[in-house]
């Protein structure tokens, strides 16, 4: 199965590709050659990376929760043997 096989896979592939594409852009909150102070004097790009990392972790958690609710993932326990 590949990422374009159904609507669920396409939607999540688009979300993760968008998150990847966003982090690759040289935006000032991800990349800066000069010191741009943010809250508490911490460079702004660090806040951008922290926020983006949190967004990626939330997306992964939502993806995992939605995957485990799908019927094709529920049948794996009954088919396999003991590991």
């Amino acid at each position: 199965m590949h990422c374009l096989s159904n609507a669920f896979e396409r939607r999540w592939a688009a979300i993760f590709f968008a998150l990847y594409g966003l982090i690759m852009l040289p935006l000032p909150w991800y990349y800066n050659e000069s010191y741009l102070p943010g809250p508490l004097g911490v460079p702004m790009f660090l806040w951008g990376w922290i926020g983006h990392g949190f967004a990626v972790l939330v997306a992964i958690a939502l993806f995992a929760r939605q995957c485990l609710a799908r019927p094709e993932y529920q049948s794996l326990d009954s088919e396999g043997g003991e590991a």
Side-chain angles (χ1 to χ4, degrees), residues 21-69:
L22 185 63
I23 201 74
M24 291 294 118
L25 294 175
L27 300 171
W29 52 88
Y30 294 135
Y31 169 77
N32 205 347
E33 292 181 351
S34 61
Y35 176 67
L36 180 64
L40 303 174
V42 176
M44 196 63 178
F45 74 91
L46 288 178
W47 292 113
W49 277 90
I50 290 169
H52 190 86
F54 182 73
V56 168
L57 291 175
V58 167
I60 290 170
L62 285 172
F63 176 70
R65 173 173 258 173
Q66 289 181 6
C67 278
L68 293 175

Side-chain angles (χ1 to χ4, degrees), residues 6 8-9 65-75:
N6 60 34
F8 177 78
E9 302 286 337
R65 173 173 258 173
Q66 289 181 6
C67 278
L68 293 175
R70 294 176 59 82
E72 60 264 24
Y73 290 96
Q74 301 299 321
S75 63

